[in-house]
Amino acid sequence: MAEPCQVCFTPSNQVCSACKAVRYCSPVHSVSDWKRHKRECPVLATGIDNQTGYPLKVKVAYFPAAGGEARRVDIPYKLVHDPCTPHIPIHQLDVSFILGEATLSRTRIQIDGFHSGAALGHQLLLIHNDNSISENKPLNMCIQEIHQGSGYGWRDNLFAVRLVDDESRSMQYQDVTEADLRAVWNYFRQGGNGYAALEPENAREELAMYKEMGFQFVSV
């Protein structure tokens, strides 16, 4: 049975010549997808179910609670079957060395900052400990240094990932760039407090959605 091309999702019987696990409708789409696919190709060749641990790595923007410079670091991940999109596996991150067994919360960042900033053209997810206050985690001194103590009191380690630009791969990630790191840095510098930093059109749509759900907003 023909499965979807990894780029346009047109049914195809042509497979990647290396892993034999993913389909492409044409050599053009195979070449255009190689930058994304090449990291996962060896894993797919041996089979998702045969992975040991978290064999893959992706760069994230890391803000250490102990202080010091924010920086890009590698975080391990593995491929996991998704029943909703069986031809596109999701990325499962191993966050244990950054956040232990914390309950995770995610904040969307689409602009270079919090209140204002240029559109990034893609989406970052700021991942943090949802129970950092109740667990009495220490203040994040890296972020305290960024906003000079005048912003939100973030606690515990935090990091940001970059979603793959293709929206159909909503739970897949690609390496953050130095520009992405700077955008998250500016989010904290401008007082980012856990609310999303969205492009204007998306912000309006989200506000309308919350109002429809009965939420009330007041100016402060």
Side-chain angles (χ1 to χ4, degrees):
M1 180 179 178
E3 295 181 2
C5 168
Q6 290 287 297
V7 176
C8 67
F9 306 115
T10 300
S12 175
N13 289 313
Q14 301 179 55
V15 298
C16 169
S17 60
C19 69
K20 307 292 194 299
V22 297
R23 308 292 178 95
Y24 294 102
C25 68
S26 67
V28 172
H29 280 180
S30 177
V31 171
S32 68
D33 193 46
W34 179 242
K35 182 178 179 180
R36 181 202 63 80
H37 175 62
K38 66 180 179 180
R39 175 160 46 194
E40 299 170 3
C41 189
V43 173
L44 291 168
T46 58
I48 290 179
D49 297 329
N50 295 321
Q51 295 173 98
T52 300
Y54 294 79
L56 300 162
K57 293 181 180 180
V58 65
K59 289 193 178 299
V60 304
Y62 177 47
F63 295 79
E69 291 290 327
R71 56 190 183 273
R72 295 192 303 157
V73 301
D74 288 328
I75 190 170
Y77 75 93
K78 65 181 178 181
L79 303 179
V80 178
H81 293 291
D82 183 357
C84 296
T85 55
H87 57 288
I88 301 178
I90 63 175
H91 294 173
Q92 182 175 310
L93 301 172
D94 177 12
V95 305
S96 59
F97 79 99
I98 293 180
L99 285 169
E101 299 299 321
T103 299
L104 304 183
S105 185
R106 297 168 177 82
T107 298
R108 294 185 293 159
I109 298 176
Q110 298 175 345
I111 61 174
D112 185 0
F114 177 45
H115 295 298
S116 62
L120 299 176
H122 54 267
Q123 184 159 267
L124 307 174
L125 289 181
L126 177 63
I127 299 179
H128 46 99
N129 180 355
D130 195 40
N131 298 320
S132 62
I133 296 177
S134 63
E135 294 174 357
N136 198 30
K137 295 294 186 180
L139 280 174
N140 186 297
M141 299 311 298
C142 174
I143 299 172
Q144 288 288 308
E145 292 164 11
I146 291 171
H147 60 51
Q148 297 296 303
S150 62
Y152 182 70
W154 289 95
R155 294 172 177 266
D156 209 349
N157 296 315
L158 295 91
F159 69 96
V161 295
R162 175 172 172 170
L163 292 173
V164 170
D165 295 339
D166 186 346
E167 292 183 359
S168 63
R169 302 177 182 277
S170 59
M171 292 302 292
Q172 290 192 351
Y173 310 108
Q174 65 188 74
D175 292 339
V176 299
T177 64
E178 288 293 337
D180 294 329
L181 175 64
R182 187 69 182 180
V184 184
W185 193 96
N186 283 331
Y187 174 88
F188 294 128
R189 184 179 61 83
Q190 293 182 14
N193 57 6
Y195 286 99
L198 305 178
E199 293 183 34
E201 181 177 348
N202 293 333
R204 287 191 293 269
E205 291 177 355
E206 184 162 286
L207 179 60
M209 178 188 70
Y210 281 124
K211 287 183 175 179
E212 289 179 2
M213 295 169 62
F215 287 86
Q216 296 184 353
F217 300 85
V218 296
S219 299
V220 295

